[in-house]
Amino acid sequence: MKTGLNLFAIAILFASCTSSTQQTKPVSISDLNYMEISLENEKPWLANIETSDGIANMLTSVHEFSGDYTTLHADLEQEFQTLFLKCSMTGEAHNQLHNYLIPMVAIFDDISKDDKEVSALAVEKLELHLRAYSLFFE
């Protein structure tokens, strides 16, 4: 009987560890081969808080996306413009930030396409791109 209870407990533990709750796949630099960005001596660049907040706000918009691509596109564009207006970064960190941000323009364009399949893929790509921010900036 004790063996049966142990097996039952192991089965429950295994089932809870492999439940259907989705976990976000970690982002790696190799997932972002379309970007031309470098690190500072293998460490993230220092970013200003307004930039980091802007990226976080865009990621929140993507996570709260309800299926209205037009609204999502408008929200992202507004945050993107605000990010540029509030950016106070200088030097190589600023240059690398531009290398990070520029690919987002094409992704935004795809989100606003009439083809919903293209838009959906663009939202997925943008979510990955935004999560990757922390690999390059802190």
Side-chain angles (χ1 to χ4, degrees):
M1 180 72 175
K2 192 173 185 179
T3 303
L5 286 175
N6 287 341
L7 290 175
F8 180 72
I10 291 170
I12 295 293
L13 180 62
F14 179 75
S16 67
C17 291
T18 60
S19 68
S20 63
T21 57
Q22 277 188 333
Q23 292 185 354
T24 305
K25 176 189 165 213
V27 180
S28 71
I29 291 176
S30 64
D31 293 327
L32 309 162
N33 56 5
Y34 60 89
M35 282 197 315
E36 294 182 22
I37 188 169
S38 63
L39 297 171
E40 181 180 33
N41 298 320
E42 298 187 30
K43 293 182 181 176
W45 297 96
L46 186 60
N48 65 330
I49 190 68
E50 294 83 2
T51 299
S52 295
D53 286 349
I55 297 298
N57 291 342
M58 284 189 264
L59 190 57
T60 297
S61 292
V62 169
H63 287 161
E64 294 176 352
F65 174 57
S66 64
D68 182 351
Y69 292 103
T70 303
T71 299
L72 178 62
H73 182 262
D75 291 348
L76 292 169
E77 285 283 344
Q78 179 64 45
E79 195 63 52
F80 197 70
Q81 290 174 10
T82 301
L83 192 146
F84 269 95
L85 290 173
K86 292 184 176 182
C87 181
S88 61
M89 293 171 62
T90 59
E92 191 57 29
H94 182 258
N95 295 340
Q96 294 304 318
L97 177 64
H98 278 265
N99 290 343
Y100 172 82
L101 294 174
I102 288 171
M104 293 170 64
V105 173
I107 298 171
F108 291 169
D109 288 345
D110 284 347
I111 289 172
S112 66
K113 300 272 189 209
D114 289 334
D115 184 337
K116 298 304 177 208
E117 207 170 295
V118 170
S119 297
L121 289 173
V123 170
E124 288 178 24
K125 185 173 184 178
L126 181 61
E127 196 264 344
L128 180 72
H129 189 90
L130 292 169
R131 286 192 304 118
Y133 175 80
S134 64
L135 295 175
F136 300 105
F137 300 96
E138 57 182 11

